[in-house]
Amino acid sequence: QKVQVAMAGLLATRTYTPTDWDAESGTTHLLCYAHGDGPGSAWARNIGPGDECHILGPRGSIDLRTTSGPIAFFGDETSLALASALVADRPARRLSAFYEFHDREGGAAMLQSLNLIGATAVARRPDEAHVEEMQASLPAPAAGGAHFVLTGK
């Protein structure tokens, strides 16, 4: 599922994947990557527990519940919530993931804190050379019959 959150008025929205959704209590948990000075980053830095906001959704997005077998994620910081939600929904599912981060060490710590076992943090490089490193990771999950999920940038 995905939701759109209104930022500073209903015409500016940002889209997020909830890592938890409780319709009865009217609460959700979002994992946000606050980068730059845009409205989404400002909202993510300033929102706190219990604050109210306008949310549109949830709506369907990438639905991995009907797939079986291993999953191979490739993405960036903005893609972590999808893998986190999948792991929470199916903890025993085999997952390999490769995420590009501006800060590789911080990214590795984030992967660990989200319990994304088997995920690899790759340092983003200005010349995009890290993409070749991620590309070199494709054959192993492909040989294992993984479903590929390409998200983020």
Side-chain angles (χ1 to χ4, degrees):
Q1 299 288 314
K2 65 183 173 186
V3 296
Q4 289 182 289
V5 179
M7 312 278 156
L10 296 177
L11 296 179
T13 63
R14 295 297 181 266
T15 303
Y16 298 96
T17 301
T19 57
D20 183 53
W21 184 268
D22 186 337
E24 283 188 31
S25 69
T27 61
T28 188
H29 294 135
L30 302 176
L31 177 62
C32 304
Y33 175 55
H35 59 91
D37 296 320
S41 294
W43 176 82
R45 285 187 191 99
N46 295 313
I47 192 78
D51 288 352
E52 291 185 12
C53 58
H54 296 281
I55 293 178
L56 307 170
R59 293 193 313 246
S61 187
I62 299 173
D63 188 354
L64 300 173
R65 292 174 297 171
T66 60
T67 62
S68 61
I71 299 279
F73 279 94
F74 288 81
D76 62 16
E77 299 97 334
T78 66
S79 309
L80 295 174
L82 180 59
S84 180
L86 180 65
V87 167
D89 187 54
R90 288 189 172 169
R93 185 125 195 219
R94 204 166 85 229
L95 170 74
S96 59
F98 303 86
Y99 289 102
E100 59 179 333
F101 292 94
H102 284 291
D103 172 10
R104 196 198 73 70
E105 290 77 23
M110 176 61 73
L111 294 171
Q112 184 176 5
S113 72
L114 293 171
N115 200 31
L116 294 177
I117 308 302
T120 301
V122 177
R124 182 180 289 118
R125 294 192 279 192
D127 63 358
E128 300 289 320
H130 65 283
V131 174
E132 288 184 27
E133 179 183 344
M134 293 175 79
Q135 184 178 356
S137 304
L138 293 171
H147 294 275
F148 283 81
V149 179
L150 310 176
T151 60
K153 179 180 152 226

